[in-house]
Amino acid sequence: MAWLTLYLLNVLWAVAGTSTRAQSSCSVSPEQQPWVDGLQVLMENSVAKSDFTNPSILIAMNLVGTYNLEAQKILTNRLMAIDGADLTSGQLALTIMALTSSCRDPGSKVPILQKKMEKWEPSSPGAEGSAFYGPSLAILALCQKNSEATIPIAVRFAKTLMRESSLFSVDTAAVATLALTCMYNRIPVGSQENYRDLFGEVLKDLVDNIGLRIKADGIIGDIYSTGLAMQALSVTPEQPSTKWDCEKTLNMILNEIKQGKFQNPMSIAQILPSLKGKTYLDVPQVICGPDHEVPPTLTDYPSPIPTSASNITVTYTINNQLKGVDLLFNVSIEVSVRSGSVLLAVLEEAQRKNSMFKFETKMTSWGLMVSSINNIAENANHKTYWEFLSGKTPLNEGVAYYVPFNREHITANFTQY
Ligand code: B12
């Protein structure tokens, strides 16, 4: 009997050991997989519903294996037809990676991006960190297409980052890490220059910067920067000084997914590769074939809470202390909207009640962005924009997704980045 008990205990211990090892490799368990599949279906189905061509969605679906071939075809064809000259370097880079992931030749888009990046310089010393997000995407795309020709551009970029990287947001540091990791991995054999030291040193700064933003619950930056940060930390040759617990991060993200926090197709495009163990560095290795993944049987992905019959009251303030001496304003209004409405409904109601609250939006990869309020418009050259806050805390979602609560005070503040 004692023998049998000992034997059973041993078996149990071995099983427990195996499952711990499997989890520490940081992948989504088979039981949780339907949540991830549900996200992917939501993202892929968004393609047919929108006229906006989002290359990040095509990259994500090709990296993880497309379910919806029609969506893949629509995006690939639309991106092939786009004229590269009209795009920013970040948009061009995403378009090149998206077409590469669909095994299409991006053609003249690569030399156009190369020329843009040869002329690139940071707008001013101490430029705001997000100014490096697009250029980081550009180095990543060029590295994947022709790493040797990209070396001089990447060296100049890395030297600039060395001075600035501590200012970076997690998103920007993550994309810069992916770009320089790509370069680091492709340094020509026998190269006399100390590229490895330069890229290695900058990568160490970047990952330390990301490491400092790992929260106790595992989220890196905020929930919407965590996907890119996970990609960066899982490929970089330099480890952050703060230890990263991948499994904790993954579990926290899965919790957020279950609460319906990933409704925005772009937010899904940025988290999905990490949930399926892929990164943007895998783009050149995607194998294209006629096959597609068998569409999964779906779980009920939480959809946005429907608006209810009861109303909530929100105080909405618009504030400009920046532009036009005789145009300065700080005005508040109280509006009542259906409980569960998105912030956009508050803005619309305020505009209906008082023409000072007139606003304009533009369509972007993350959805509608507020571009102008009371005739004061954002301006990229002046680095001005309308920032949204709840109380004093900046919102981490846009007006078309954020759901205000009763008695909340929302402010739109015209400010600079
Ligand atoms: C740079 C940047 C900005 C810049 C953009 C201007 C510029 N010229 O650089 C500024 C500072 C203006 C900005 C503003 C905001 N941003 Co921002 N931004 C970014 C960042 C770091 C990079 C975007 C980028 O360059 N992409 C590359 C280019 C090639 O793609 P693109 O599609 O052309 O990029 C455009 C859009 O991304 C758009 N954009 C930028 N931020 C946002 C936010 C929303 C909600 C929308 C609809 C569009 C939008 O501006 C870009 C340039 O034109 C991303 C990080 C990320 N992970 O994507 C966050 C990010 C997109 N921003 C975010 C947020 C929350 C905001 C704000 C709502 C913050 C606030 N409290 O006000 C505001 C928008 C408010 C409004 N007026 O509607 C979140 C969005 C999360 C979500 N679930 O919606 C992100 C993901 C950051 C994060 N990790 O939380 N942002």
Side-chain angles (χ1 to χ4, degrees), residues 52 88-91 94 128 130-131 133-134 137 169 171-172 222 224-225 228 264 266-267 270 362 364-371 378 380 384-389 394-399 401 417:
F52 191 89
T88 63
S89 44
Q91 289 164 340
L94 289 170
E128 208 271 338
S130 63
Y133 188 99
L137 287 172
S169 68
D171 312 74
T172 306
D222 68 17
Y224 301 114
S225 51
L228 294 176
N264 184 326
M266 182 59 169
S267 71
Q270 290 195 351
K362 63 174 185 188
T364 77
S365 58
W366 283 91
L368 286 181
M369 186 168 183
V370 174
S371 51
E378 60 164 26
T384 51
Y385 77 110
W386 281 99
E387 180 186 31
F388 282 84
L389 306 112
L395 299 185
N396 72 349
E397 284 178 305
V399 292
Y401 287 87
Y417 45 93

Side-chain angles (χ1 to χ4, degrees), residues 116-331:
K116 270 184 190 265
M117 287 309 289
E118 277 160 5
K119 287 193 233 136
W120 174 82
E121 38 195 327
S123 38
S124 56
E128 208 271 338
S130 63
F132 292 86
Y133 188 99
S136 298
L137 287 172
I139 304 280
L140 177 58
L142 290 175
C143 170
Q144 295 181 343
K145 283 292 160 197
N146 186 349
S147 52
E148 245 180 286
T150 310
I151 289 179
I153 305 172
V155 165
R156 204 156 55 89
F157 181 72
K159 287 184 175 162
T160 318
L161 290 199
M162 208 139 54
R163 300 194 295 268
E164 315 274 349
S165 65
S166 59
L167 303 170
F168 284 12
S169 68
V170 168
D171 312 74
T172 306
V175 184
T177 301
L178 290 169
L180 291 187
T181 300
C182 177
M183 291 305 300
Y184 184 97
N185 292 343
R186 294 184 186 212
I187 294 168
V189 188
S191 157
Q192 299 298 303
E193 309 288 334
N194 276 339
Y195 299 133
R196 192 168 288 269
D197 291 349
L198 172 67
F199 295 146
E201 195 183 325
V202 181
L203 280 168
K204 178 70 182 143
D205 276 1
L206 288 167
V207 294
D208 274 346
N209 183 5
I210 298 175
L212 290 174
R213 324 279 178 93
I214 303 175
K215 301 201 176 124
D217 61 5
I219 293 300
I220 313 175
D222 68 17
I223 59 170
Y224 301 114
S225 51
T226 299
L228 294 176
M230 289 175 81
Q231 286 196 34
L233 293 180
S234 63
V235 295
T236 169
E238 299 286 342
Q239 290 314 305
S241 306
T242 326
K243 204 177 150 354
W244 173 48
D245 182 345
C246 173
E247 202 186 311
K248 195 184 207 183
T249 302
L250 191 68
N251 287 335
M252 196 61 198
I253 285 294
L254 284 167
N255 280 344
E256 301 284 351
I257 290 171
K258 290 174 192 168
Q259 283 163 39
K261 296 279 178 58
F262 287 81
Q263 302 284 341
N264 184 326
M266 182 59 169
S267 71
I268 303 175
Q270 290 195 351
I271 196 74
L272 198 57
S274 298
L275 298 175
K276 295 245 181 171
K278 298 286 177 190
T279 78
Y280 286 169
L281 298 194
D282 298 317
V283 161
Q285 280 87 47
V286 173
I287 296 164
C288 304
D291 296 349
H292 64 104
E293 304 290 321
V294 180
T297 39
L298 283 183
T299 45
D300 279 339
Y301 185 75
S303 43
I305 312 144
T307 53
S308 71
S310 65
N311 275 9
I312 58 162
T313 305
V314 176
T315 307
Y316 173 44
T317 301
I318 52 173
N319 179 45
N320 163 38
Q321 303 303 321
L322 210 61
K323 199 180 156 197
V325 186
D326 39 333
L327 290 174
L328 306 183
F329 54 84
N330 183 317
V331 222

